[in-house]
Amino acid sequence: GKCCMSNKQTGNQGEQEIVDLIACPNCGKKLMLLPPNYPLYDVQCTACSFRAQIKTNNCKPKSEVFGAGWQIMSKVLKAGFLPPPLIVNFKWTEKDRPKQRILFFPFVPSNHLTHYKLSATARRANYEMFRYSKLLELPYFVLFDK
């Protein structure tokens, strides 16, 4: 299927939506947004130490999802830390009805991160990025489905 790009606005909106719709998967209390450009994590729990990265995709749930800059993730992995837990907010239209499914991947092994580089002509030329791959082969929780 076609890949659905996300952008800054979609991302910010998607993060706000997670905070509005989803309670902390660990303790059930409210999630809050972390400051913009906070490394690796987008939300954290207001009560416990749960943190996660949020990705929003305007399509049906799929296994390939754009990640972000590779440099910070690479440093985290080299230091022996795990990739952050991932919440993906999938939104699409089916038979003229809006659908939404929010999936939570508590553990994304590093072999599910595919490193790549933007082309020399891209807006951010040669910027190193990663995408999440084979996500639906991993264990996940459905946090929201409508």
Side-chain angles (χ1 to χ4, degrees):
K2 69 177 177 41
C3 208
C4 354
M5 285 296 291
S6 180
N7 59 35
K8 201 90 185 132
Q9 192 187 353
T10 312
N12 297 345
Q13 232 173 322
E15 291 165 21
Q16 185 59 55
E17 218 168 40
I18 295 297
V19 167
D20 294 341
L21 291 173
I22 302 298
C24 172
N26 180 50
C27 75
K29 297 270 194 329
K30 189 159 174 46
L31 293 173
M32 63 179 263
L33 293 174
L34 285 160
N37 300 323
Y38 192 91
L40 290 176
Y41 300 99
D42 297 311
V43 297
Q44 73 179 21
C45 181
T46 56
C48 75
S49 65
F50 176 82
R51 283 185 172 175
Q53 181 160 86
I54 308 293
K55 290 293 164 196
T56 298
N57 276 245
N58 294 314
C59 61
K60 286 181 171 167
K62 61 182 177 115
S63 272
E64 304 288 316
V65 171
F66 283 101
W70 175 246
Q71 296 302 10
I72 177 83
M73 184 61 83
S74 168
K75 287 186 172 79
V76 163
L77 299 175
K78 281 189 178 121
F81 291 99
L82 302 178
L86 176 66
I87 296 173
V88 189
N89 184 4
F90 289 104
K91 303 166 74 167
W92 71 102
T93 304
E94 213 170 89
K95 298 186 183 91
D96 296 327
R97 295 186 41 202
K99 306 271 285 178
Q100 182 172 21
R101 188 169 300 144
I102 299 172
L103 304 182
F104 171 46
F105 299 87
F107 175 58
V108 181
S110 56
N111 64 357
H112 285 258
L113 307 177
T114 306
H115 173 209
Y116 67 99
K117 194 186 264 198
L118 294 180
S119 74
T121 55
R123 192 164 54 86
R124 292 201 281 183
N126 302 315
Y127 187 68
E128 293 188 75
M129 301 194 60
F130 73 91
R131 69 178 150 264
Y132 294 97
S133 51
K134 303 189 294 268
L135 277 180
L136 299 178
E137 295 172 16
L138 296 172
Y140 63 87
F141 297 91
V142 177
L143 300 181
F144 184 85
D145 197 357
K146 77 160 202 226

